[in-house]
Amino acid sequence: MKGMGMEFKGLDGRAADPILVTIVANIIFDVRPMPEALVCPLAAEATIKKIPLAHFPRDLFQVGRSVMILRGLTHTLGMHVRAAHLWRGYAEAALADPGLDACAEQNRCYDDGGCVALA
């Protein structure tokens, strides 16, 4: 998650609990059925409220929204799909790319509004 530019903090301001980060990663990027993913993110008991996001790249926001829509569809249709299994090869290839750090830095620059996008 950190390698994608996502930063979590615990409610006490310290490092976030890695177990909660894993749960949130599955909520954001996988469509498999899990109780935590079916809780409204605005509910008091929502996992996402236990580890605030300090930074979330704008380009990943649409991915997360798409996954949540797919989760709703697969849940309604009674399907058990593991998107993480489907995306694993793509993610491993991206992480093996030596230019990944430069791309991540460029994305952070765009997210922070400090870079000018080329038309």
Side-chain angles (χ1 to χ4, degrees):
M1 301 287 276
K2 189 172 184 174
M4 291 189 293
M6 300 174 78
E7 296 177 27
F8 293 94
K9 298 286 182 197
L11 292 176
D12 58 3
R14 297 182 182 169
D17 179 347
I19 293 172
L20 291 178
V21 172
T22 301
I23 291 170
V24 170
N26 282 303
I27 290 171
I28 295 172
F29 297 112
D30 202 355
V31 298
R32 70 185 171 103
M34 52 189 293
E36 297 90 350
L38 299 176
V39 174
C40 174
L42 303 176
E45 67 276 8
T47 303
I48 195 76
K49 287 191 168 186
K50 297 175 184 173
I51 54 168
L53 274 165
H55 187 269
F56 192 89
R58 196 176 306 164
D59 53 342
L60 289 178
F61 183 76
Q62 295 301 335
V63 173
R65 287 184 66 184
S66 299
V67 168
M68 289 179 200
I69 290 168
L70 291 172
R71 179 182 301 108
L73 287 171
T74 58
H75 178 73
T76 300
L77 297 172
M79 299 171 65
H80 296 282
V81 178
R82 297 282 313 259
H85 288 180
L86 299 172
W87 296 349
R88 182 179 182 149
Y90 298 105
E92 288 173 346
L95 291 171
D97 183 349
L100 182 64
D101 288 337
C103 288
E105 184 57 38
Q106 186 71 27
N107 285 342
R108 276 191 286 281
C109 184
Y110 286 127
D111 287 348
D112 296 339
C115 294
V116 177
L118 300 175

